[in-house]
Amino acid sequence: MTTEITLNLQRHYLTIAEAMRTIMSFDGEGRLILAFRDGTNYTRGLSGEVLLKCVVGPGHKERRRLSDDERRALLTELLAHTRQMIERVEATATPAAHDWFERIRRWDVARLEADRERFRTVYKPISILPPDQYRALVLQATEGCSWNRCHFCTFYRDRPFRIHSPASFREHIHRVKAFVGAGLALRKAIFLGDANALIIPQPRLRELLSVVHDEFAIGPEADYKGIYAFLDIFGAERKTLDEYRELAAAGVRRIYLGLESGDETVFRLLNKPGSPAESIEAVRVIKTAGIAVGVILLVGAGGDRFAAAHVQHSLAAIAAMHLGPEDIVYLSPLIITPDSPYLAQLQDAGSSPLSATAINDQLDQLKRGARAVVGSGAKVVIYHIEEFVY
């Protein structure tokens, strides 16, 4: 019995499926971007990395990036399967579908792997984004992190901090456009990278945002709905209300701040700059300027000794921010690497990392508590950093 092949032909992407058990999606260039096979989801980023995600038991998911050998083997199988599906439907397909088929057939594993290498000439590593921005177009106005000393974070250890000049930023944008090509149409927002791009002094930031507007149409009715960025607390107090209002007028729609913990002791263990009180004040100023916020809390921060204080004071900080419908609270389970400076700090403080069960329990506490203090306003969302690939 022959299984049915279905096409979902959209303006900016094509999905081809076999009996809804195998599903492949491709961007406007014909690059494979998503696949579902045998109960497992695969996401292939612009970087060429492939993320696997599947359920391995009740309440448990596997999330990991494939190794080089796994990635190449999988891509070989998926592209071969795609060609077989195309062959079965092309005789009756529309001219528009045939155009997509030609784009898809131009890609083999060698070209996908070469594209992966090309990505590295366009971007410095894109270490992390907020989940609602995974499909944004990243423009690296800065590279790295100007603080880069948080004990729990190793995302930016491999590069010095740099702020682009307007000329070098425009050159970067042109390389991004050339690389992403027709895949640009899938990107609906601009994310200004890297770790805390809005720390850029306002005169330079004004110039860089002007470059963005020169290169892209941004607005509610435009292709790109807004500009988004991270900001660390030690940079937040450096901008005035009027400066944030200027950013709002320039299309900045949401700023993401790593509160991590509302407890002073835990905050210091993490070696975060600033303080929870400064975080609350920064959020209030940003929101007064008409910009939404995304506030990130680390689940498990402070370990067992400080668990109760972490939950209590984090929820109090969230409540004090008076968040609204456009705001997001992200709850991100803390992942500790064996060589993390944070682990040594935790042990010196007489605390131990939470077990997986305790992490889940605290996640439930924070989720229920955060939803209670924001009421029907801000969203409360789980943020698994292992699920990110750009």
Side-chain angles (χ1 to χ4, degrees), residues 73-365:
L74 176 73
L75 293 175
T76 298
E77 294 171 9
L78 294 181
L79 292 183
H81 196 168
T82 298
R83 291 188 177 95
Q84 291 169 8
M85 289 191 288
I86 287 174
E87 287 171 1
R88 287 171 52 190
V89 298
E90 62 183 338
T92 56
T94 65
H98 277 276
D99 178 61
W100 275 97
F101 296 161
E102 290 307 307
R103 280 180 258 174
I104 292 167
R105 282 173 164 147
R106 288 200 293 263
W107 293 90
D108 56 17
V109 174
R111 185 178 175 193
L112 286 174
E113 291 291 281
D115 204 51
R116 180 170 175 265
E117 296 304 315
R118 185 182 170 199
F119 175 89
R120 298 178 184 181
T121 70
V122 176
Y123 283 110
K124 298 294 183 183
I126 298 173
S127 298
I128 196 67
L129 293 176
D132 63 303
Q133 296 301 313
Y134 283 178
R135 285 289 177 185
L137 181 69
V138 175
L139 303 178
Q140 289 177 312
T142 66
E143 297 168 3
C145 175
S146 56
W147 175 249
N148 212 13
R149 295 194 290 278
C150 291
H151 285 154
F152 65 95
C153 176
T154 58
F155 284 145
Y156 306 100
R157 296 283 195 256
D158 60 346
R159 76 208 83 153
F161 181 69
R162 175 197 177 199
I163 299 174
H164 271 285
S165 69
S168 64
F169 187 44
R170 193 181 298 273
E171 181 182 347
H172 166 69
I173 290 174
H174 290 172
R175 291 200 306 270
V176 168
K177 285 182 169 181
F179 173 71
V180 182
L184 286 168
L186 282 176
R187 311 283 162 170
K188 299 303 181 185
I190 299 292
F191 195 89
L192 211 60
D194 259 340
N196 51 343
L198 296 186
I199 196 176
I200 299 170
Q202 196 78 357
R204 172 59 59 85
L205 182 55
R206 189 179 297 123
E207 293 176 327
L208 298 181
L209 289 173
S210 177
V211 172
V212 173
H213 282 274
D214 286 347
E215 298 290 340
F216 301 95
I218 298 170
E221 306 302 321
D223 292 337
Y224 297 88
K225 305 307 177 188
I227 299 171
Y228 301 78
F230 284 124
L231 178 64
D232 249 321
I233 301 308
F234 73 102
E237 72 267 22
R238 298 187 184 185
K239 294 200 187 295
T240 65
L241 175 59
D242 285 344
E243 287 174 328
Y244 281 119
R245 283 176 171 152
E246 182 181 9
L247 297 185
V252 175
R253 295 289 170 259
R254 185 179 295 116
I255 296 174
Y256 302 84
L257 301 99
L259 171 62
E260 323 304 3
S261 178
D263 183 78
E264 292 277 1
T265 301
V266 175
F267 200 90
R268 289 195 297 272
L269 281 176
L270 298 169
N271 202 36
K272 288 288 296 184
S275 69
E278 289 174 285
S279 303
I280 294 167
E281 181 58 26
V283 165
R284 288 175 176 172
V285 174
I286 291 166
K287 286 180 58 58
T288 299
I291 300 174
V293 295
V295 182
I296 303 163
L297 289 174
L298 288 178
V299 182
D304 54 7
R305 179 181 174 188
F306 304 106
H310 171 54
V311 171
Q312 178 187 349
H313 295 140
S314 294
L315 293 177
I318 293 297
M321 291 174 177
H322 304 298
L323 303 180
E326 298 301 316
D327 302 318
I328 304 173
V329 177
Y330 279 120
L331 306 176
S332 182
L334 176 60
I335 296 175
I336 308 172
T337 58
D339 59 346
S340 167
Y342 166 74
L343 186 58
Q345 289 291 109
L346 200 63
Q347 292 168 343
D348 288 346
S351 190
S352 300
L354 296 186
S355 66
T357 299
I359 285 278
N360 287 334
D361 289 344
Q362 188 176 100
L363 177 61
D364 287 340
Q365 290 178 56

